[in-house]
Amino acid sequence: MKTGVIETVSETNHGTSTPGRSRGRLAADYAELVKARLTLLVLLTTAVGYYMGARHPIRFAGLFHVIFGAASAAAGAAALNQWWERKADALMERTKMRPLPNSRMRPAEALIAGTALSLFGVIYLAIACNVLSACLAAATILIYVLAYTPLKRVSDMNTLVGAVPGALPPLIGWAAARGTIDAGGWCLFAILFFWQLPHFFAIAWMCRDDYSRAGFQMISSDDRTGERSASQSVFFCILLVVIAGLPTFIGLNSQAYLVAEIILSGAFVAVRPCDFFGKGHRRARGSYSSLRSFICHCCSGALALTKI
């Protein structure tokens, strides 16, 4: 959907040069372009996948290779996503100060950087790890950029589609460690897939006005009270409680993990209704912190205590 405002912003972005950026500003812009904080989560989940899939002794050189390759691919996908959505980003309060909509970076610059990082990450994984991990990284990029990104303007099913590339990093790590994918890897994929959905619903509800201005189709678009978002969030949280316990039942983790998972997941589910039925953005924003805390605690527990 094109509007006069979008076209005007686009012309401004294409016609504005960006000479004279300081090195600090340039570094900050590129960090924002590749969504550095999100890429750090990719590093963590890829490392978890590799650790859980590796047989003793763990090859730390292999761990470095898969993290480096997956991070490069993720950074490239993020840059391509921002290049694709630069016009829509200019319409949203939360994204209008990004390098592209704010004219601090040329679109061609972002396109080249995103393409180069994506190709480098996939090729690096193929050479340093194995072809399977490289194929999974390529699938992550393609689904994120060519499926999830355009689908945001077409259907609110984009949330489910977008959760797929977000859940692939631990599978990339697992594939790099074992050269194959089995039940353990799919369990990690499922945990991260269902973890993302309540997070997406919280952010979508909190930023529903922004998304509507940009023409994005989200489940929260006409959900003024938050009840629909809350019900969906709680439903997927309950599924997460069940799915997150699977590693114990397939022999990947000890019983200690199951106990910790039940406690953490139960507390997590209890928090969700408060996030949405409360008034204002503060409670919804709190879900972001609680979700990040959940994944960090579970990953830390899996890494340090419970792998068999």
Side-chain angles (χ1 to χ4, degrees), residues 80-97:
L80 291 173
N81 168 262
Q82 288 200 41
W83 170 79
W84 189 304
E85 294 187 335
R86 63 191 184 278
K87 298 176 183 178
D89 283 348
L91 301 177
M92 296 190 290
E93 290 296 325
R94 64 187 290 265
T95 57
K96 68 181 183 181
M97 296 306 295

Side-chain angles (χ1 to χ4, degrees), residues 3 31 49 71 74 86-87 100 108 110 120 128 132 159 195 201 205 207 218 228 235 244 256-257 264 286:
T3 67
R86 63 191 184 278
K87 298 176 183 178
L100 287 171
F120 174 80
L132 179 58
T159 301
W195 168 79
F201 293 141
W205 184 79
C207 302
M218 313 298 290
R228 188 189 314 142
F235 172 73
Y257 169 80
L264 286 169

Side-chain angles (χ1 to χ4, degrees), residues 48 51-52 253-254 296-307:
V48 169
Y51 177 86
M52 299 303 293
N253 291 89
S254 69
C296 288
H297 279 85
C298 284
C299 287
S300 298
L303 281 167
L305 300 173
T306 65
K307 182 184 175 184

Side-chain angles (χ1 to χ4, degrees), residues 29 54 58 79 117-118 123 149 169 217 239 257 268 278 307:
D29 284 345
I58 295 173
L117 284 168
S118 297
I123 294 171
T149 299
Q217 303 297 314
L239 284 180
Y257 169 80
F268 183 60
K307 182 184 175 184

Side-chain angles (χ1 to χ4, degrees), residues 58-162:
I58 295 173
R59 292 179 55 252
F60 288 100
L63 177 61
F64 169 80
H65 288 316
V66 70
I67 288 176
F68 185 66
S72 298
L80 291 173
N81 168 262
Q82 288 200 41
W83 170 79
W84 189 304
E85 294 187 335
R86 63 191 184 278
K87 298 176 183 178
D89 283 348
L91 301 177
M92 296 190 290
E93 290 296 325
R94 64 187 290 265
T95 57
K96 68 181 183 181
M97 296 306 295
R98 284 177 173 174
L100 287 171
N102 195 239
S103 302
R104 299 195 308 273
M105 183 181 294
R106 294 186 182 92
E109 186 179 348
L111 178 60
I112 292 171
T115 303
L117 284 168
S118 297
L119 290 174
F120 174 80
V122 172
I123 294 171
Y124 185 89
L125 286 171
I127 295 173
C129 297
N130 53 49
V131 174
L132 179 58
S133 62
C135 289
L136 289 170
T140 301
I141 297 166
L142 292 174
I143 297 172
Y144 185 64
V145 177
L146 299 181
Y148 166 65
T149 299
L151 193 60
K152 288 163 76 173
R153 289 183 173 273
V154 179
S155 169
D156 58 15
M157 291 296 291
N158 68 78
T159 301
L160 293 175
V161 175

Side-chain angles (χ1 to χ4, degrees), residues 33-67:
L33 179 71
V34 302
K35 300 181 180 178
R37 292 172 64 182
L38 182 61
T39 300
L40 286 175
L41 181 59
V42 171
L43 296 182
L44 173 63
T45 55
T46 302
V48 169
Y50 185 90
Y51 177 86
M52 299 303 293
R55 294 182 172 88
H56 298 291
I58 295 173
R59 292 179 55 252
F60 288 100
L63 177 61
F64 169 80
H65 288 316
V66 70
I67 288 176

